[in-house]
Amino acid sequence: MNQNNGMQKRMLIMTLVVFVFFIAYEFLVLKPQQEAKAALVKQEQAQKQNVAPEVNALDAKMLTTDVNGNPVNMSKSVDALSSKVVASSEIVSVIKTAKNIIEIDNLGRVAQVTLLEEKYKDENGNQIKLFEANQLRPLEIRFADVNLNTEAFKVSVIASSSNVDATTSTQELILTQNLNGTVLTKKLTIYSDGHYDLNVSATNDKQFFITNGFRPNVLADMYAVHGFISKLNDNTLKTIEDGDSDKNENIVGAKFISSFDRYYATVIYNFDKSLNVTLMPDTSSNPQGFIHGGTDVSFSGFIGPKNHRDLNALNPELIDVIDYGWFTFIAKPMFLLLQFIQGYVGNWGWTIVILTILIKLVLYPLSYKGMVSMQKLKDLAPKMKEIQVKYKDDKQKQSMHMMELYKKHGANPMGGCLPLILQIPVFFAIYRVLLNAIELKGADWIFWVHDLAEMDPYFVLPILMGVTMFLQQKITPNTMQDEMQKKIFQFLPVVFTFFFLWFPAGLTLYWFINNLFTIGQQYYINSIFERKRAEKN
């Protein structure tokens, strides 16, 4: 077989294998791992029920590092997840804003956040609660003094008010903890949109650390990244996924830190005075962030959905809380375009349709070149076969005559797959955008699709996607000679349909519309070549 023709086939196969592997890996590897981990957590819950998490102080020496730059003398806390029900006896103050209810426990921590907006409901129709009962809670304090730290987990705070109504105006809540030799004061300023400002101070020069807590545990699924992310003063982002935190680590000069799942996050930020943070793994190697508070620290915080407009309203830099992965540089402007279109259309489903069409139009020159190249190679297939047979014992002459044939007819053996490869970053970018866009939560399209963030309940879109993929294959020129390769490609629509059964409807909608317009483009190119062949005859 000709070397260039063989290379073309290998490149095309490689491209499709990338897609299949990308989807198969998430479904066959990551999902079973997640399910196994969830089963283990449930087993631990049964064993540790009614047992409070172990709490250790953070040694003052954690402010220094060893010769390798790692924090020293830091102890781990135990993360024992249980149900989302928090005992009412623990709650000393309930804060209600226009968007959420924040419950403060007797140690001055955020015990629970309940989202109030109508679209944030769980599978049982209840308003979504973000935290498990026994996880590391936001705004928990750890003292460097071991004895003081032990006492701090036994003495309840005194709240200035047991109920705070910040639904229409900014309110203040003061939490005071009277300890032996020091007084810890948390002054919370709560805004109606749910975010807050916080000042924490300790008397008698007692050093402390404060955490943003373990991430919300609502949707930590196989599709999207979940863990910890921080933005540094040099505007770089540092992301550590759950399970990947294997050592203590210092972060110096952070603008914000965030613990997040697919749609929700616990964020602490200060853009005027940067934060110094120490990361320490829990028993499952999940990252936990502790801010160095000294004896007095101030910052702002937000606990809730990673909604683009809400984050941008607080500070444009907080948009980076939404993690799009490697293709962020494409994904960010793509989401802005998506949001812009939705502002006029008013429906996220039709917005996805319009965005898909726009992407197809922008990439049309690349697609056109690829399709034309495939058509030319199809027309040259008989002559290519003749050369292969005639010079089967002389690969050098075979290659030379092939190149002459390509040059004479203006064909490029790589022209069919290179445009496809160049479009891969666009696909992954739109994939990340649609997966991470909580704006799709509860957004309906037409008829049976009532939530674009969930899978199609009747599997209509995945089946349509598979059918259009099959039709696309049928009308696309195929120069493959190997029967095994042909069978593999013919089976791909079935494989993709199977995987897309569980994909969010918004993403499946994108792929379906993309296939439809690809079919239209291919049909148009085919008709042009048919006319040219008819004219020659």
Side-chain angles (χ1 to χ4, degrees):
M1 183 179 289
N2 174 262
Q3 184 178 2
N4 291 320
N5 190 39
M7 184 180 295
Q8 178 203 12
K9 291 177 181 178
R10 287 194 295 273
M11 289 287 286
L12 190 55
I13 291 173
M14 180 196 73
T15 302
L16 290 171
V17 166
V18 167
F19 279 103
V20 174
F21 175 80
F22 177 74
I23 297 171
Y25 178 75
E26 293 201 350
F27 182 79
L28 299 177
V29 178
L30 296 185
K31 187 175 182 180
Q33 288 178 352
Q34 179 194 354
E35 291 173 347
K37 186 175 180 180
L40 181 60
V41 168
K42 287 183 179 179
Q43 185 178 358
E44 291 177 351
Q45 288 174 14
Q47 296 172 348
K48 300 177 180 178
Q49 192 172 11
N50 298 324
V51 178
E54 175 188 343
V55 180
N56 296 316
L58 297 185
D59 195 295
K61 293 181 181 178
M62 69 175 285
L63 295 170
T64 62
T65 58
D66 61 19
V67 292
N68 296 318
N70 297 319
V72 296
N73 293 335
M74 288 185 59
S75 56
K76 297 182 180 180
S77 65
V78 174
D79 221 15
L81 298 183
S82 66
S83 69
K84 292 180 182 288
V85 178
V86 179
S88 58
S89 60
E90 294 183 14
I91 305 304
V92 297
S93 185
V94 177
I95 304 165
K96 186 174 182 180
T97 74
K99 294 188 176 181
N100 59 27
I101 295 175
I102 305 170
E103 298 175 59
I104 305 296
D105 71 9
N106 60 329
L107 296 181
R109 307 171 300 185
V110 175
Q112 190 58 272
V113 173
T114 304
L115 304 182
L116 296 180
E117 293 179 79
E118 182 63 25
K119 71 175 182 177
Y120 298 123
K121 289 186 176 181
D122 60 21
E123 62 276 7
N124 298 317
N126 301 318
Q127 294 302 136
I128 286 175
K129 296 180 183 297
L130 296 184
F131 302 119
E132 300 289 348
N134 291 334
Q135 71 183 58
L136 178 67
R137 297 181 179 180
L139 307 188
E140 179 172 298
I141 295 288
R142 301 284 179 90
F143 282 97
D145 185 315
V146 176
N147 294 327
L148 185 62
N149 190 72
T150 300
E151 181 188 1
F153 279 91
K154 297 176 181 178
V155 177
S156 295
V157 301
I158 300 171
S160 61
S161 176
S162 59
N163 287 281
V164 177
D165 186 356
T167 53
T168 58
S169 61
T170 303
Q171 299 293 325
E172 186 176 277
L173 174 67
I174 298 177
L175 303 168
T176 306
Q177 192 174 34
N178 296 303
L179 304 171
N180 184 23
T182 191
V183 177
L184 179 72
T185 305
K186 292 180 180 177
K187 181 179 178 182
L188 273 162
T189 303
I190 306 105
Y191 299 87
S192 60
D193 61 4
H195 90 280
Y196 63 86
D197 296 333
L198 176 65
N199 173 260
V200 187
S201 60
T203 61
N204 294 333
D205 198 32
K206 293 299 182 180
Q207 305 287 313
F208 64 84
F209 312 92
I210 185 168
T211 178
N212 68 324
F214 188 64
R215 61 164 171 76
N217 196 29
V218 181
L219 194 57
D221 57 20
M222 57 176 271
Y223 299 120
V225 174
H226 41 86
F228 174 92
I229 188 171
S230 62
K231 185 172 185 178
L232 307 183
N233 288 335
D234 61 1
N235 292 322
T236 59
L237 297 174
K238 182 179 182 64
T239 303
I240 300 177
E241 297 185 33
D242 281 357
D244 290 347
S245 182
D246 57 0
K247 63 181 180 180
N248 299 327
E249 184 176 356
N250 274 342
I251 299 176
V252 178
K255 293 183 177 182
F256 71 68
I257 63 172
S258 169
S259 297
F260 63 95
D261 69 1
R262 179 171 163 190
Y263 285 148
Y264 309 95
T266 301
V267 186
I268 286 177
Y269 59 95
N270 191 328
F271 296 104
D272 298 321
K273 184 178 181 181
S274 58
L275 308 168
N276 291 336
V277 183
T278 293
L279 285 179
M280 52 188 290
D282 66 6
T283 53
S284 299
S285 297
N286 300 320
Q288 301 178 124
F290 287 87
I291 296 169
H292 296 218
T295 60
D296 189 283
V297 67
S298 296
F299 52 75
S300 298
F302 169 78
I303 303 174
K306 294 186 288 183
N307 183 289
H308 192 281
R309 282 198 173 98
D310 290 346
L311 293 170
N312 185 64
L314 293 176
N315 190 294
E317 291 197 61
L318 286 177
I319 293 172
D320 289 327
V321 167
I322 307 171
D323 182 29
Y324 293 120
W326 292 349
F327 297 103
T328 296
F329 68 100
I330 302 176
K332 271 190 174 181
M334 193 171 290
F335 178 82
L336 291 175
L337 177 59
L338 193 72
Q339 188 171 251
F340 175 79
I341 297 171
Q342 196 275 337
Y344 286 93
V345 176
N347 181 286
W348 282 102
W350 291 115
T351 296
I352 292 172
V353 172
I354 293 171
L355 177 69
T356 308
I357 296 172
L358 289 176
I359 291 173
K360 293 299 293 182
L361 291 175
V362 170
L363 296 178
Y364 179 72
L366 277 177
S367 301
Y368 180 83
K369 288 182 180 179
M371 292 174 178
V372 168
S373 181
M374 292 298 290
Q375 279 286 359
K376 288 182 179 180
L377 292 174
K378 179 184 177 182
D379 291 345
L380 293 176
K383 294 181 180 180
M384 291 163 62
K385 186 68 175 178
E386 289 177 8
I387 293 174
Q388 290 170 4
V389 172
K390 185 176 182 179
Y391 300 103
K392 63 181 180 180
D393 297 325
D394 192 338
K395 297 298 181 182
Q396 187 174 355
K397 282 189 176 182
Q398 183 185 112
S399 179
M400 181 183 69
H401 284 281
M402 281 289 190
M403 293 305 295
E404 289 177 356
L405 182 67
Y406 295 148
K407 187 176 181 180
K408 180 179 178 181
H409 293 275
N412 183 353
M414 300 299 295
C417 55
L418 279 178
L420 181 60
I421 292 172
L422 291 174
Q423 294 177 55
I424 289 179
V426 177
F427 166 76
F428 283 116
I430 192 69
Y431 174 85
R432 287 298 179 190
V433 165
L434 296 179
L435 276 181
N436 288 283
I438 194 172
E439 288 79 0
L440 300 184
K441 176 71 176 173
D444 60 3
W445 181 39
I446 54 172
F447 306 124
W448 70 98
V449 179
H450 300 296
D451 193 337
L452 289 166
E454 301 291 337
M455 69 181 199
D456 184 333
Y458 302 107
F459 307 116
V460 176
L461 284 173
I463 292 172
L464 289 175
M465 187 279 300
V467 170
T468 52
M469 191 173 182
F470 174 77
L471 293 175
Q472 182 182 331
Q473 278 191 352
K474 281 294 183 181
I475 67 172
T476 301
N478 189 344
T479 60
M480 288 184 182
Q481 304 297 324
D482 186 85
E483 289 301 319
M484 181 58 70
Q485 291 178 359
K486 288 182 180 179
K487 289 180 180 179
I488 291 174
F489 275 79
Q490 289 170 357
F491 192 66
L492 282 178
V494 178
V495 175
F496 272 66
T497 300
F498 175 76
F499 286 128
F500 271 76
L501 290 176
W502 292 274
F503 268 38
L507 183 64
T508 311
L509 174 62
Y510 161 76
W511 195 290
F512 166 57
I513 300 298
N514 182 74
N515 286 352
L516 275 182
F517 275 82
T518 301
I519 290 172
Q521 290 176 351
Q522 187 66 62
Y523 181 81
Y524 173 70
I525 299 297
N526 291 353
S527 64
I528 292 177
F529 273 80
E530 287 298 328
R531 286 199 300 269
K532 288 183 178 179
R533 293 189 192 103
E535 291 172 359
K536 288 181 180 179
N537 295 332

